[in-house]
Amino acid sequence: MLTFERARQVILEQIIPVGVEQVGLLDSVGQVLAQDMIAPWDMPLWDNSAMDGYAIRSADCNQPLCRLRVTGFLPAGAKAEGIGVEQGCAVRIMTGAPTPSGCDAVVPVEETDDGHLEVTLQQSVTKGQHIRVRGEDVMSGAVFVHAGAIIRAPEINILANFGIAQVPVYRRPVVAILSTGDELIELGRSPGPGEIVNSNMLSLAAAVRETGCVPRLLGIARDTEESHIEKLREGLKADVLITSAGVSAGDCDLVRGILEKMGAERIFWKVGVKPGGPTAFAMFGATPVFSLPGNPVSTMITFEEFVRPALLKMQGHQRVLRPLFKAILREEITKKPGKIQIVRIKLEYEEGRWFAGSAGNQQTAILKTMVDAQALAVLPAESCYFAAGDEVDVHFYGNYCDLTEAAR
Ligand code: AMP
Ligand code: MG
C-alpha cells in the first residue's frame, strides 16, 4: 500500500501537459500560457499625459502663480505632430494624449484656474510630472507575460494592448467519466428498491469542469465484463479516464481486472488514506486512468486529492496542490494510526488565526457533511490523537469556497 504522499508523487510523475493550442484571446481565460510573450513595441508607444490639464515647460514655471498663454489643444486620440509648447506657453491636453514637443511636465487642471486663452498655475511644478514615458510599462523585446501564467483579466488586458488576438495555451484535456454498478439509474428516474441515482458521474463532471477540463459522460457500465469492456474502450479514447466504484475487493468489483486485461498498466492500487483507500491508478499507453471508490464522499475526496492535481498538471499548471495552512482544532479528534485521514471542516477566522471545527458526521456515507465543508484537514498517518487547540494542516475545498461567514 502506497502512502498518500507517494501516491500523489507517482501520479504526477506520469503526467505531462496534453499539448498546446491557439485560442481566441477571450476564450483563453483560465488556461495556462504556453510561451513567453514578447513585447512587439514599447508600451506606451509615445510619451503621453497622465492627467487632464496643461502641457508646459517646467523651466517657465519656477515661481508660484505663473501665467502662460494657451496655444493649442490635444484631446486623447489626437496626434502631437506639428504641435509644440513654446516658451511662456501651454497646450491644453487630455489624459492619454501624446505630449507635444517642448513639454516636460503636465499640470493637472485642478491645479490651475482652468483658463482657455491664458492659464494661471496655482502650484509649483516638477520636471517630468504627470507624464507617462514611452516604454515605462513594458520595453519592446521584453517578456510581458511569462509562460506558465494563468490567463486572467490583467493578462487579457495586456495581451489585447499588444494586439494579440490568438494565444498559445495548454489544451484542455477531455476527461471521460464512467460509473459502474447494477444499482445505478440515471438522473430523471425515481429510484426503486435497491436503486440509487448515478450522482457520482455528475459530481465528477462538475469537479472536472472546475479544473478547466472538458468532461465526457459515458453513463453506466453494468456489472458484467461485456458492459465494462464496451464502456472502458470508449473511455480510453479520451485524454483521461475516471471510473467510479467497482474498485474494492467485492465480487462485482471488475474495473481493475478488466482494465488490465485490456492492456492498462497498473501503477498502484490502495493508498494509505481514509476515505479513499481502494483508489487505483493505471496508465493505458499515455492515457492516465483513475479508478475511484464509489462511495460518493470517497469519490469526491479522492478526486480532489489525486485527480485534480493531475488534471491541472495536464493543463500546464505549475502549482497543482492547494496550499496547506495551519488551523487550530475546535474539538479533539481520534483516529487509527497508519493512514492519513481527511476530515471535512468548517473554518472560522478569529484574531488572526484560523480555527477548524467539524463540518458534521464524518462517516463516509454522509453527503451533507461534504456540502457543509469549506476545507479539508489532512491528519498525518502516524498520529492517533489530536487535542482541541492542536494545530493541523488544512486546505480549502472547491474553487468557490465561501469564507465570508468564516471571516465575519
Ligand atoms: P462499490 O465500490 O461498487 O461497492 O460502491 C460503493 C458504494 O458507492 C455503494 O454504496 C454504491 O451504491 C455507491 N455508488 C457507486 N456508484 C455510485 C454512483 N455512480 N453514484 C452514487 N453512488 C454510487
Ligand atoms: Mg459496485
Side-chain angles (χ1 to χ4, degrees):
M1 185 172 72
L2 258 62
T3 64
F4 175 74
E5 295 82 3
R6 183 72 193 129
R8 268 181 166 174
Q9 224 174 30
V10 165
I11 291 168
L12 291 175
E13 280 167 7
Q14 297 285 335
I15 300 289
I16 50 166
V18 278
V20 173
E21 61 180 355
Q22 296 278 337
V23 302
L25 180 58
L26 188 51
D27 291 329
S28 71
V29 174
Q31 283 179 282
V32 177
L33 191 64
Q35 284 168 22
D36 286 347
M37 301 306 288
I38 312 281
W41 55 67
D42 288 336
M43 192 162 80
L45 199 45
W46 11 262
D47 294 358
N48 68 93
S49 176
M51 299 294 279
D52 293 332
Y54 298 85
I56 56 126
R57 294 168 171 264
S58 58
D60 290 346
C61 308
N62 41 22
Q63 83 277 24
L65 291 180
C66 114
R67 213 166 162 66
L68 303 168
R69 196 155 61 83
V70 180
T71 58
F73 177 54
L74 276 169
K79 294 190 176 68
E81 282 140 37
I83 299 182
V85 181
E86 305 300 324
Q87 206 177 352
C89 298
V91 168
R92 202 171 161 88
I93 191 166
M94 299 294 110
T95 306
T99 45
S101 62
C103 152
D104 66 0
V106 169
V107 179
V109 71
E110 296 84 353
E111 296 173 12
T112 71
D113 65 354
D114 197 13
H116 280 246
L117 298 174
E118 279 193 336
V119 62
T120 304
L121 311 189
Q122 287 152 353
Q123 292 180 22
S124 58
V125 174
T126 326
K127 189 171 171 177
Q129 70 174 36
H130 304 303
I131 293 180
R132 304 166 177 159
V133 181
R134 175 177 181 149
E136 73 173 14
D137 192 345
V138 183
M139 297 287 264
S140 174
V143 175
F144 66 92
V145 191
H146 285 272
I150 302 168
I151 308 286
R152 307 162 304 160
E155 286 73 21
I156 296 280
N157 204 319
I158 201 164
L159 286 159
N161 265 285
F162 281 119
I164 292 161
Q166 295 286 314
V167 195
V169 287
Y170 290 100
R171 182 166 74 73
R172 299 180 184 279
V174 173
V175 181
I177 302 166
L178 176 64
S179 290
T180 69
D182 279 344
E183 75 277 35
L184 302 177
I185 57 166
E186 291 296 14
L187 178 67
R189 284 187 43 204
S190 314
E195 293 181 331
I196 57 164
V197 175
N198 176 14
S199 58
N200 279 350
M201 184 176 68
L202 299 168
S203 163
L204 283 169
V208 162
R209 217 178 254 181
E210 275 192 40
T211 69
C213 294
V214 181
R216 179 183 293 165
L217 308 187
L218 298 179
I220 301 164
R222 296 305 173 189
D223 290 332
T224 64
E225 185 160 333
E226 305 74 64
S227 179
H228 270 60
I229 289 175
E230 182 201 330
K231 292 287 189 180
L232 288 170
R233 192 171 285 149
E234 190 56 33
L236 291 168
K237 293 178 190 159
D239 295 306
V240 183
L241 171 60
I242 305 174
T243 69
S244 135
V247 76
S248 309
D251 294 340
C252 301
D253 291 339
L254 306 175
V255 174
R256 283 177 303 107
I258 294 176
L259 274 170
E260 281 167 34
K261 243 190 197 172
M262 292 173 75
E265 180 199 352
R266 178 208 288 199
I267 309 291
F268 65 73
W269 177 45
K270 289 192 175 168
V271 186
V273 63
K274 209 172 162 303
T279 302
F281 177 59
M283 291 296 292
F284 181 80
T287 309
V289 183
F290 296 90
S291 298
L292 308 183
N295 185 322
V297 171
S298 311
T299 313
M300 287 185 269
I301 288 183
T302 51
F303 178 93
E304 166 71 19
E305 302 294 347
F306 298 120
V307 186
R308 180 180 178 276
L311 297 187
L312 292 179
K313 189 170 179 195
M314 290 179 93
Q315 296 174 88
H317 286 272
Q318 286 163 3
R319 294 170 79 217
V320 299
L321 300 180
R322 292 196 200 269
L324 292 173
F325 58 96
K326 297 283 182 199
I328 299 159
L329 285 179
R330 289 273 193 219
E331 56 237 72
E332 64 172 22
I333 300 179
T334 52
K335 67 181 261 298
K336 289 192 188 131
K339 288 183 176 184
I340 289 264
Q341 187 151 328
I342 310 282
V343 180
R344 290 157 275 169
I345 58 167
K346 275 175 119 44
L347 287 169
E348 281 167 319
Y349 191 69
E350 278 171 24
E351 291 168 6
R353 296 187 303 173
W354 288 103
F355 287 83
S358 172
N361 183 335
Q362 295 290 330
Q363 286 177 41
T364 48
I366 306 296
L367 267 180
K368 180 64 166 53
T369 306
M370 206 66 203
V371 171
D372 291 336
Q374 294 165 312
L376 299 174
V378 183
L379 306 183
E382 61 280 10
S383 316
C384 52
Y385 178 73
F386 303 84
D390 281 357
E391 276 193 337
V392 293
D393 283 331
V394 303
H395 66 76
F396 292 127
Y397 175 62
N399 284 9
Y400 312 106
C401 177
D402 181 6
L403 291 170
T404 47
E405 203 181 326
R408 202 169 287 148

